[in-house]
Amino acid sequence: MTDDTTTGTARPNAGTGHTAAGTAQDILRDLRAVDGAVYAAVAATPTPTLDTALRRLSTAADHSKISLAIAAALALFPGRPRRAALAGIGAVAVASATANLLGKRLVRRSRPDREAARVVAGRHVPMPDSASFPSGHTASAVAFATATGVVLPAAAVPLGVLAATVGYSRVHTGVHYPGDVAAGAVLGVASAAVSLTAGASLVRRRADLRAALGA
């Protein structure tokens, strides 16, 4: 703050806003540097035993095929498993739409340069044409695991481990930065919350309707 010599009142320092903006840009630059460094470290770490398995898992998770298959299996059992499947599918729908129709179009982050990072060919999956941020695979996998796990607690840990592995596989195969995966995970949790809230609201409406008809 500086004093106005003519009025005796204090006025804001003109450089404050610029300094705050500059600090935010510096933080973002540092975060990008860390993101790139972790990506490069993963690429440079030899893991021949894991490469094939993670490549296959990453491919199997395309279009949420793994989640859909699990949901189909759960839906065969009435009651809680079927409700968990429906909650999980709803969460996947929200996550996929939000990641692909909103997140990727707003941020438009370029995909990593897999060749420059020297990601070994044994890890490669097709490089998507879409923007890199956020990871849609991670968003959908975490959304399904979270929503399904809330309704069916016994499935929470195995589905959570599966979702985390899918997220890591996207970095391991070189198609995403770690930051993309972290953002996808956050989006997945939020999408699960939306699906669960919508499901609870629907259940309440049905209960109210039945009560009204019964009256």
Side-chain angles (χ1 to χ4, degrees), residues 133-135 138 177-187:
F133 184 96
S135 167
T138 306
Y177 291 104
D180 304 332
V181 170
V186 172
L187 177 59

Side-chain angles (χ1 to χ4, degrees), residues 10-130:
R11 60 184 179 184
N13 190 324
T16 301
H18 175 73
T19 301
T23 300
Q25 291 176 354
D26 290 342
I27 292 173
L28 287 175
R29 183 175 63 247
D30 289 348
L31 289 175
R32 291 191 191 100
V34 172
D35 206 17
V38 174
Y39 176 88
V42 171
T45 304
T47 54
T49 305
L50 294 175
D51 290 349
T52 299
L54 288 172
R55 186 190 73 238
R56 290 175 176 171
L57 176 64
S58 185
T59 300
D62 288 348
H63 309 297
S64 300
K65 291 194 294 287
I66 297 176
S67 296
L68 293 176
I70 295 172
L74 290 174
L76 296 175
F77 302 93
R80 189 182 292 270
R82 188 168 295 171
R83 293 197 302 272
L86 290 174
I89 293 302
V92 168
V94 174
S96 180
T98 306
N100 293 300
L101 300 180
L102 186 62
K104 291 180 183 293
R105 295 186 180 185
L106 287 177
V107 179
R108 296 185 179 277
R109 186 183 195 185
S110 298
R111 292 279 175 172
D113 189 339
R114 190 162 53 183
E115 284 66 34
R118 297 182 180 179
V119 177
V120 297
R123 299 182 183 184
H124 286 195
V125 296
M127 182 67 76
D129 295 327
S130 60

Side-chain angles (χ1 to χ4, degrees), residues 10 86 158 165 185 197:
L86 290 174
T165 308
T197 300

Side-chain angles (χ1 to χ4, degrees), residues 1 9 18 56 75 100 119 134-135 153 163 166 169 171 182 193 213:
M1 302 290 285
T9 58
H18 175 73
R56 290 175 176 171
N100 293 300
V119 177
S135 167
V166 167
S169 75
V171 180
L213 292 176

Side-chain angles (χ1 to χ4, degrees), residues 135-171:
S135 167
H137 282 65
T138 306
S140 294
V142 170
F144 181 79
T146 303
T148 303
V150 168
V151 180
L152 190 65
V157 172
L159 289 180
V161 171
L162 176 61
T165 308
V166 167
Y168 172 74
S169 75
R170 301 304 284 171
V171 180

